[in-house]
Amino acid sequence: MIGKLERDFYLRDTADAAMAVLGRVLVHNTCEGVTSGRIVESEAYLRDDPACHACRGMTARNRAMFGEPGRAYVYFTYGNHYCLNFVTQPAGIAEAILVRALEPLDGIELMRRNRGRTRLVDLCSGPGKLTQALGIDLSLNGEDLLGDRLYLLDDGGDVGDVIARPRVGIKEATDRLWRFYPAPQAQWVSRR
DNA sequence: ACATCGATCTACT
DNA sequence: GTAGATCGATGTA
């Protein structure tokens, strides 16, 4: 039986949770239709981590990271892009999982329109691409992932061997291997 | 107030 | 492989 992930799912070590979301299906109910994809790349951001938005305390932008687990943290960056995270750990402990790539599943024509690209591998192979494809923006910041607008399905499948690498686009803590993707699905990730 | 820069993407060489 | 786009959040004064 395939159902939504429960809030308990997000109450664990954030690196473990980042590995556990691999293979799950992210669903966005938009007014133009449903878009969804299988999560094939993730990164963990921990509170004592210099690369984490919340490591210097709460600000207007990162407020959602300090809230309850199982909610979305969406931020705007580089003047162009939105990035989607899942908040982990109890309220007050600001940690999150960045979603970096999806294998497109439902609403592929809508994703093509949103992205202005046709090839499947160009739709969701990066954190800014997948939010654009699925139609995710700041209106989803703080959204409860146990609601009906944006949620994760427990697809239950085994993703196989998980590869751990340094995170992309950060200068600090490169010794921490907190970027994850399943070896069999490496074709969909943002970069090898 | 102002300067800097970013958990990126695209186009071009 | 490299550079330009683009603009809000953040840090410094």
Side-chain angles (χ1 to χ4, degrees), chain A residues 4 6 9 30 37 54 59 81 88-89 103 142 176:
Chain A
K4 284 178 197 169
E6 317 222 0
F9 178 87
T30 78
T59 65
H81 309 291
T88 56
Q89 301 280 26
E103 173 191 348
R176 300 180 185 180

Side-chain angles (χ1 to χ4, degrees), chain A residues 71-104:
Chain A
R71 286 182 179 260
Y73 165 47
V74 182
Y75 67 90
F76 180 72
T77 192
Y78 287 107
N80 294 295
H81 309 291
Y82 302 103
C83 292
L84 170 68
N85 296 256
F86 306 139
V87 176
T88 56
Q89 301 280 26
I93 297 180
E95 303 194 352
I97 300 163
L98 171 68
V99 185
R100 287 196 58 91
L102 307 174
E103 173 191 348

Side-chain angles (χ1 to χ4, degrees), chain A residues 10-42:
Chain A
Y10 304 92
L11 285 168
R12 68 172 108 177
D13 175 86
T14 300
D16 289 344
M19 283 184 270
V21 296
L22 297 174
R24 318 287 181 174
V25 175
L26 174 67
V27 182
H28 183 204
N29 263 311
T30 78
C31 48
E32 297 188 272
V34 175
T35 51
S36 76
R38 188 178 309 280
I39 299 172
V40 292
E41 185 184 354
S42 64

Side-chain angles (χ1 to χ4, degrees), chain A residues 38 83 85 91 113 138 145 148 167 184:
Chain A
R38 188 178 309 280
C83 292
N85 296 256
R113 239 180 297 144
L138 283 183
L145 299 171
D148 290 326
R167 292 168 293 178

Side-chain angles (χ1 to χ4, degrees), chain A residues 2-178:
Chain A
I2 296 178
K4 284 178 197 169
L5 295 187
E6 317 222 0
R7 205 169 302 283
D8 280 357
F9 178 87
Y10 304 92
L11 285 168
R12 68 172 108 177
D13 175 86
T14 300
D16 289 344
M19 283 184 270
V21 296
L22 297 174
R24 318 287 181 174
V25 175
L26 174 67
V27 182
H28 183 204
N29 263 311
T30 78
C31 48
E32 297 188 272
V34 175
T35 51
S36 76
R38 188 178 309 280
I39 299 172
V40 292
E41 185 184 354
S42 64
E43 286 180 354
Y45 287 86
L46 276 61
R47 59 190 183 284
D48 61 347
D49 162 13
C52 176
H53 285 173
C55 70
R56 296 203 176 268
M58 185 159 59
T59 65
R61 177 175 68 164
N62 68 24
R63 200 170 66 82
M65 287 187 74
F66 289 83
E68 71 175 335
R71 286 182 179 260
Y73 165 47
V74 182
Y75 67 90
F76 180 72
T77 192
Y78 287 107
N80 294 295
H81 309 291
Y82 302 103
C83 292
L84 170 68
N85 296 256
F86 306 139
V87 176
T88 56
Q89 301 280 26
I93 297 180
E95 303 194 352
I97 300 163
L98 171 68
V99 185
R100 287 196 58 91
L102 307 174
E103 173 191 348
L105 294 177
D106 296 312
I108 286 173
E109 286 314 310
L110 178 53
M111 292 192 206
R112 284 180 166 137
R113 239 180 297 144
N114 289 343
R115 287 276 302 140
R117 309 277 135 148
T118 52
R119 286 155 54 204
L120 282 185
V121 288
D122 292 334
L123 298 181
C124 299
S125 54
K129 296 180 192 178
L130 73 91
T131 53
Q132 184 182 31
L134 269 63
I136 291 167
D137 61 21
L138 283 183
S139 70
L140 286 164
N141 188 30
E143 187 76 12
D144 193 345
L145 299 171
L146 280 80
D148 290 326
R149 204 172 154 203
L150 184 70
Y151 53 89
L152 276 80
L153 293 178
D154 178 5
D155 210 337
D158 186 358
V159 295
D161 288 339
V162 172
I163 295 173
R165 288 276 131 77
R167 292 168 293 178
V168 176
I170 63 166
K171 303 180 186 103
E172 313 93 335
T174 51
D175 58 318
R176 300 180 185 180
L177 305 182
W178 286 341

